[in-house]
Amino acid sequence: MNIIAEKYVKLALNIGNYDKDFIDAYYGPQDWRPKSKSGEFNDSIYQILNQQVDSLLDEMESLSVYNAAELEKLRYRYLYKQLLACKTRIFMLNGVTLSFEEEAKALYDTEVPVHNEDFFKQTIEELNKILPGKGSVTDRLLSFKDKFRIPEEKLKAVFDAAIKECRNRTLKNMQLPPTENFSVEYVRNKPWGAYNWYKGNFFSVIQVNTDLPIYIDRAIDLAAHEGYPGHHFYNALLEWNLYRKKEWVEFSVYLLFSPQSLIAEGTANYGIEVAFPGSERIKFEKEVLFPLAGLNPDEADAYYKVLDLQKNLSYAGNEAARNFLNGKWNEQQTVDWLIKYSLRSRESAAKYLDFIKQYRSYVINYNVGMDIVKNYIEKNGGTDENPSKRWELFKNLLSTPQTPGGLK
């Protein structure tokens, strides 16, 4: 298995030579990287890479009946699914166009539920009843949320406080790798809201995009999702437990378009609930973050009532990606849908479409990924009433080889 794992890493790095987004992180041996930058992807390159991945899949299948311990079985399943994602990405680089549903299954090991317009209309009608003012629900929502925008000059203080609290809560329940740390940068002109660039040696660079308004709830969302107990912590635990201690070299590379991303995004989003169960989040924000941002904490309850309803609308982004990538909608129809059913501003809808065009079906990893992680943890006893069990199960997901299909 170790020999296959080494070949897998080198194959992934070669694919990344032709796909700039494929390798999200790599901290393995530097001499494994391709010696030179790639030229244009062509049929000859396709044949070489496809033959390599098929050979590795054949080797994996020859091992499928071997008697292994549970952790080794998880490792086998993880590596096999990652190789299938490699094969899929090679096909896509060669011009094969998959449907949204086929792509999500092949790359992220999951089926994507369909949500029709009635699902979103029901939520929007509930919002219509509680939002103040006149006009469209989208305009009223944006006007309402504007009162909870963090002033740009106060972003750093608010984020620093949120990060500190997320880290302290994580430390109470999980051991952090030695010397772990990260830096935060504020950037512009990106298709995403925030990004964790994991550098290895337990260090990350977290970038926060300030193109669009950043509302007060995003402080905890981003601090937990990108930091603790989210992406930074997830990558650090995998490096610590699997790459450093077990010398499983496949965990020296993180492939963005792979089942690992659904686990990463799902745990990062669910980690917010794990760190702040029940009413603990709103209590902390009222007492600490609202005052730091110069906002009125007396309005926090009304704000979170609106946000709780708005969560259902995240699935509208999946439907936008489904119809756009399947060729049913053009760009204007997709933006109009996002404005109507995600209740986004036109600027925000256009930014989301940019994300779809660059990352395609990746959008499902945030909400479908969270649903899979949440259901797995809660059906195994990690409920609000048993927070210690929830942390135990969550830690296991972050520090062992997992696949979405294995959590169902």
Side-chain angles (χ1 to χ4, degrees):
M1 186 80 89
N2 289 338
I3 295 172
I4 297 174
E6 180 177 331
K7 292 178 181 177
Y8 154 76
V9 174
K10 292 176 179 177
L11 169 68
L13 293 174
N14 277 325
I15 298 171
N17 219 14
Y18 300 93
D19 183 347
K20 65 182 179 62
D21 292 321
F22 191 58
I23 304 298
D24 194 67
Y26 178 65
Y27 43 85
Q30 290 306 300
D31 61 358
W32 287 8
R33 290 184 180 275
K35 302 305 181 195
S36 59
K37 285 294 181 182
S38 64
E40 185 177 345
F41 192 88
N42 54 42
D43 188 64
S44 176
I45 299 299
Y46 165 74
Q47 296 294 340
I48 292 170
L49 293 177
N50 194 48
Q51 184 178 21
Q52 288 175 352
V53 74
D54 282 346
S55 176
L56 289 175
L57 286 168
D58 287 344
E59 289 184 59
M60 290 290 290
E61 288 171 7
S62 72
L63 298 175
S64 62
V65 295
Y66 83 132
N67 187 21
E70 185 61 29
L71 192 61
E72 289 279 354
K73 290 178 181 177
L74 289 177
R75 182 191 186 191
Y76 174 89
R77 184 170 61 194
Y78 170 87
L79 191 51
Y80 192 86
K81 295 284 187 178
Q82 293 291 112
L83 282 165
L84 288 178
C86 286
K87 185 173 179 65
T88 302
R89 201 63 188 174
I90 292 167
F91 279 172
M92 293 173 72
L93 285 171
N94 201 44
V96 173
T97 300
L98 301 176
S99 71
F100 172 84
E101 295 81 4
E102 291 168 337
E103 186 180 309
K105 181 64 176 177
L107 292 179
Y108 307 116
D109 190 31
T110 195
E111 308 282 350
V112 185
V114 176
H115 294 86
N116 59 32
E117 288 187 63
D118 288 340
F119 175 83
F120 305 114
K121 286 177 179 176
Q122 182 178 351
T123 294
I124 290 170
E125 183 54 37
E126 292 181 55
L127 283 168
N128 183 47
K129 294 175 183 177
I130 65 173
L131 285 169
K134 296 180 179 180
S136 72
V137 176
T138 299
D139 289 343
R140 287 156 58 203
L141 175 66
L142 294 173
S143 177
F144 175 78
K145 290 180 68 174
D146 197 54
K147 296 191 298 182
F148 302 94
R149 181 176 181 170
I150 305 172
E152 193 163 345
E153 70 274 11
K154 296 183 177 181
L155 274 177
K156 185 178 186 306
V158 173
F159 273 111
D160 286 350
I163 290 167
K164 181 179 179 182
E165 182 69 12
C166 290
R167 186 176 190 275
N168 288 342
R169 286 172 175 263
T170 302
L171 269 173
K172 288 179 182 178
N173 295 279
M174 300 168 71
Q175 186 179 2
L176 292 169
T179 71
E180 66 78 28
N181 201 359
F182 65 79
S183 63
V184 179
E185 299 174 356
Y186 297 92
V187 299
R188 290 188 180 276
N189 301 317
K190 303 295 182 182
W192 34 258
Y195 210 110
N196 179 297
W197 302 100
Y198 190 69
K199 303 299 185 180
N201 293 315
F202 318 127
F203 180 77
S204 296
V205 174
I206 295 175
Q207 293 184 328
V208 178
N209 187 3
T210 59
D211 285 347
L212 298 174
I214 298 179
Y215 303 108
I216 189 64
D217 59 294
R218 293 292 284 159
I220 288 295
D221 282 353
L222 295 181
H225 183 102
E226 306 295 345
Y228 310 95
H231 290 326
H232 169 68
F233 196 47
Y234 171 70
N235 283 304
L237 282 184
L238 289 180
E239 179 180 359
W240 194 21
N241 290 318
L242 301 183
Y243 180 59
R244 302 292 177 187
K245 293 180 180 178
K246 289 190 171 294
E247 298 184 347
W248 288 359
V249 295
E250 64 267 37
F251 290 96
S252 65
V253 67
Y254 176 9
L255 311 186
L256 191 69
F257 305 113
S258 74
Q260 185 180 6
S261 279
L262 189 139
I263 300 295
E265 300 294 359
T267 53
N269 270 352
Y270 186 60
I272 301 166
E273 291 185 25
V274 176
F276 293 88
S279 62
E280 291 185 23
R281 172 177 177 167
I282 193 169
K283 180 176 184 295
F284 172 74
E285 292 189 346
K286 281 181 176 180
E287 293 176 356
V288 180
L289 298 189
F290 272 70
L292 275 175
L295 304 178
N296 183 2
D298 294 338
E299 297 183 323
D301 290 323
Y303 182 58
Y304 273 96
K305 185 177 181 181
V306 168
L307 289 186
D308 284 344
L309 284 172
Q310 196 183 355
K311 285 178 182 177
N312 287 335
L313 303 183
S314 75
Y315 300 100
N318 294 3
E319 299 310 317
R322 186 195 307 274
N323 285 281
F324 179 75
L325 296 176
N326 286 347
K328 294 182 178 180
W329 293 349
N330 61 28
E331 292 190 14
Q332 187 59 58
Q333 289 172 308
T334 306
V335 167
D336 288 345
W337 167 274
L338 289 167
I339 293 171
K340 184 175 182 179
Y341 291 118
S342 282
L343 303 185
R344 292 175 176 270
S345 68
R346 186 162 296 278
E347 184 183 10
S348 174
K351 181 75 71 174
Y352 194 87
L353 178 58
D354 286 343
F355 188 95
I356 293 172
K357 288 192 287 188
Q358 182 164 348
Y359 298 105
R360 298 182 57 84
S361 62
Y362 191 94
V363 298
I364 70 161
N365 292 326
Y366 301 101
N367 45 36
V368 177
M370 178 174 169
D371 291 342
I372 290 172
V373 169
K374 179 183 177 74
N375 291 338
Y376 171 79
I377 288 180
E378 294 186 356
K379 78 179 181 183
N380 284 286
T383 60
D384 278 342
E385 292 73 32
N386 195 349
S388 61
K389 182 66 173 178
R390 177 185 279 179
W391 274 107
E392 177 190 332
L393 290 165
F394 189 74
K395 178 183 177 181
N396 184 62
L397 288 186
L398 264 63
S399 54
T400 56
Q402 296 292 340
T403 57
L407 299 184
K408 295 178 180 179

